[in-house]
Amino acid sequence: MDRLEFGTDGWRDVIADRFTYRNVARCAQAYADHLAATGGESVVVGFDTRFGGEHFARLAAEVLAANGLTALLSTTFVPTPALSFAVRHFGAAGGVMLTASHNPPQYNGLKLKGAYGGTATDDIYRDVAARVADVDESRVRRSGGSGRIEPVDLRPAYFEQLAGLVDLGLLRGLRGKLVHDSMGGAAGGWLSGFVRFADLPLEVEPLRKRPDPLFHGVNPEPLPPNLAPAIARAREEKDLLFVAATDGDGDRLGVVLPGGHFFNSHQIFAVLLDLMQQRGEVGTVVKTFTVSRLIERLARRRGLDVIETPVGFKHIVERMLEGDVLVGGEESGGIGVAGHIPERDGIANTLLLLEALVRSGDTLAQRFAELEKEAQWLHAYDRADLRLEERRVTEAVMAALSDPPATIAGRPLVSVERRDGVKLNLGEDAWLLVRASGTEPLLRVYAEAPSPREVQRLLQEAKSFLASIPA
């Protein structure tokens, strides 16, 4: 019996290795047991465009129904935030989303959602993971029971929610072209569909809209190495507002500006923070351990409290469920805002960025430059991903970092934090963080410093140091 590991957001594995019908059924049974223990009666099930997604989702729905639950099964592939909203809209006890998010095409996965309409908390994941360990094939129910499967279209209710979130009056005054690069993922057609639903004058041009389990040859993560078509289109289009690039399941967002310049998640976070305040919203700012210092500096200059969490949107959700959160986000492109569900939403955040253009009268680049000035912080940040073949390499790296160098790239070590991995705080507010990915066999190395050149120096020195560690 395979041991299934739940990472920062659910279970992910390689298709036909450990991601199999047998193991999906085990997870569905464990989740059914969890819902039975908490009195749940219905659950929403969806899937993205990955290989076999519809069949895996159908199997999960069958197991849930065999355990007496009503399984509301999406009639087609669906972005994760639409699935999350549907949980709340239908009053379901939870949700199951078959997706590996931004992971490479050979992966699939299973995310769980809480009754509140957002990423499952640590408590939910811990309980389901513990139950999976005790579920073998003989324990899985696949037929019978008092439950049923009901096909549902998740679009109408989600579009109504978006229409209430953004200022449609302002957006009706916006002219220009938005390009949406859905990277072959589940958000394809959803932005243009909302624009038609809301009767907005905006032109939306699709890019890589065709659903593709291989994601048109790239990993479906909206980062520059995967966005060559979006960057090329941004250099060509004269009336472009920006290119919105959503990941495989539509909950993360990257942006390419006119001219082909990448606008990263920290910059998006800053603009959304500014927008929410312009709209009169109040609350705390929540950021994961890997987010730029720009966010905390900007928030504190505006008198806002800042809470920092480990990596994983579930930690942000826990804060959002307590109430009074203005905006919460992570380095990987997932951001949630007040007035919406406690969930990352690349589609909603695209619409909010459009609203920010109208409210400020500036381009995104101009607005962000003003926010840098206000925060007195020049944003320079990057990340390197190092592939690992064995877990013992990670263990050796973390052991070596228990006694880090006194200086790195000429900067003195000021302090060490171990909230998630090892974060080395250096002089002039520069920092370097090393942590193991919770979704792939990768060691992630993050760096921030006063200039792009210094960021690259930090990353290069970190990679050299890590390469010298014997496994």
Side-chain angles (χ1 to χ4, degrees):
M1 190 167 64
D2 291 327
R3 181 172 177 268
L4 307 183
E5 296 185 8
F6 283 69
T8 51
D9 191 1
W11 162 57
R12 300 177 198 183
D13 259 314
V14 174
I15 299 168
D17 181 1
R18 285 193 297 183
F19 196 90
T20 60
Y21 288 123
R22 177 180 298 176
N23 286 335
V24 168
R26 288 176 58 209
C27 283
Q29 181 62 56
Y31 191 45
D33 293 342
H34 166 81
L35 293 177
T38 55
E41 296 180 357
S42 63
V43 60
V44 185
V45 182
F47 55 96
D48 67 6
T49 60
R50 288 175 184 269
F51 178 78
E54 183 174 4
H55 303 294
F56 288 120
R58 181 78 192 185
L59 172 61
E62 288 172 356
V63 172
L64 293 162
N67 281 269
L69 293 156
T70 298
L72 305 172
L73 177 61
S74 176
T75 54
T76 185
F77 60 81
V78 61
T80 287
L83 180 284
S84 294
F85 176 72
V87 172
R88 193 174 78 181
H89 174 74
F90 289 112
V96 176
M97 179 70 187
L98 276 297
T99 179
S101 190
H102 64 288
N103 281 45
Q106 65 267 32
Y107 282 82
N108 208 332
L110 187 146
K111 291 181 178 180
L112 300 177
K113 303 299 170 182
Y116 41 81
T119 303
T121 62
D122 244 350
D123 287 343
I124 294 172
Y125 273 130
R126 272 195 296 264
D127 184 63
V128 174
R131 292 175 187 276
V132 168
D134 294 330
V135 173
D136 61 20
E137 195 170 10
S138 67
R139 277 253 293 110
V140 176
R141 299 176 190 169
R142 300 198 185 201
S143 60
S146 59
R148 64 187 186 278
I149 298 175
E150 292 183 6
V152 289
D153 180 359
L154 305 186
R155 245 173 239 259
Y158 177 64
F159 284 171
E160 288 284 359
Q161 168 70 6
L162 293 180
L165 174 67
V166 298
D167 190 325
L168 293 180
L170 284 179
L171 291 186
R172 289 197 173 101
L174 184 63
R175 297 293 185 274
K177 178 181 285 187
L178 172 72
V179 174
H180 178 206
D181 183 3
S182 54
M183 307 182 77
W190 283 67
L191 270 170
S192 56
F194 175 76
V195 166
R196 290 191 299 272
F197 171 85
D199 194 27
L200 297 177
L202 189 68
E203 180 183 355
V204 180
E205 177 187 314
L207 192 62
R208 295 191 284 190
K209 176 184 175 182
R210 175 177 58 83
D212 184 1
L214 297 178
F215 302 106
H216 300 274
V218 300
N219 294 349
E221 184 172 15
L223 293 174
N226 304 323
L227 297 178
I231 292 169
R233 192 72 191 89
R235 289 172 176 163
E236 299 164 356
E237 177 57 49
K238 296 290 188 259
D239 297 322
L240 179 70
L241 298 169
F242 57 86
V243 179
T246 47
D247 72 332
D249 66 331
D251 62 356
R252 302 179 188 221
L253 177 66
V255 166
V256 182
L257 301 178
H261 304 290
F262 184 65
F263 197 71
N264 67 32
S265 58
H266 314 274
Q267 295 168 302
I268 295 169
F269 195 150
V271 171
L272 291 180
L273 188 163
D274 177 59
L275 171 67
M276 298 309 287
Q277 281 204 300
Q278 286 186 48
R279 298 173 95 192
E281 302 281 357
V282 295
T284 301
V285 175
V286 185
K287 62 183 278 290
T288 59
F289 203 39
T290 53
V291 169
S292 168
R293 292 200 196 282
L294 169 80
I295 300 302
E296 60 199 65
R297 291 172 71 102
L298 178 63
R300 286 178 176 142
R301 283 187 178 275
R302 294 186 172 196
L304 301 172
D305 291 332
V306 179
I307 296 172
E308 192 169 68
T309 74
V311 174
F313 203 77
K314 60 189 176 184
H315 301 295
I316 294 173
V317 167
E318 288 171 355
R319 295 290 184 173
M320 296 181 88
L321 293 177
E322 294 174 3
D324 194 34
V325 170
L326 179 69
V327 59
E330 54 187 357
E331 170 269 341
S332 56
I335 300 170
V337 298
H340 194 32
I341 50 176
E343 180 66 284
R344 298 169 284 205
D345 193 335
I347 298 168
N349 290 337
T350 297
L351 297 172
L352 289 170
L353 288 180
L354 292 170
E355 184 180 322
L357 292 178
V358 183
R359 283 188 182 272
S360 68
D362 294 330
T363 66
L364 291 180
Q366 289 168 339
R367 188 69 200 127
F368 181 71
E370 289 301 313
L371 297 176
E372 280 185 306
K373 290 178 185 176
E374 182 182 343
Q376 297 182 0
W377 183 254
L378 180 64
H379 177 63
Y381 184 106
D382 204 357
R383 184 186 91 192
D385 292 344
L386 310 179
R387 183 153 293 278
L388 303 175
E389 300 303 328
E390 298 181 32
R391 184 181 297 276
R392 61 188 176 85
V393 177
T394 303
E395 295 169 352
V397 166
M398 294 307 169
L401 288 172
S402 63
D403 184 22
T407 61
I408 300 176
R411 291 187 173 276
L413 178 66
V414 175
S415 64
V416 179
E417 297 178 79
R418 302 182 187 277
R419 188 190 303 271
D420 190 335
V422 180
K423 189 173 189 178
L424 307 177
N425 293 306
L426 309 171
E428 294 186 64
D429 269 350
W431 56 270
L432 187 69
L433 169 65
V434 180
R435 61 175 289 273
S437 167
T439 61
E440 297 176 73
L442 296 173
L443 198 65
R444 300 200 191 278
V445 186
Y446 310 78
E448 184 169 33
S451 73
R453 177 177 292 183
E454 288 176 278
V455 167
Q456 295 309 314
R457 283 183 61 201
L458 282 173
L459 288 176
Q460 189 54 53
E461 187 153 329
K463 286 189 273 190
S464 297
F465 173 75
L466 297 175
S468 70
I469 298 171

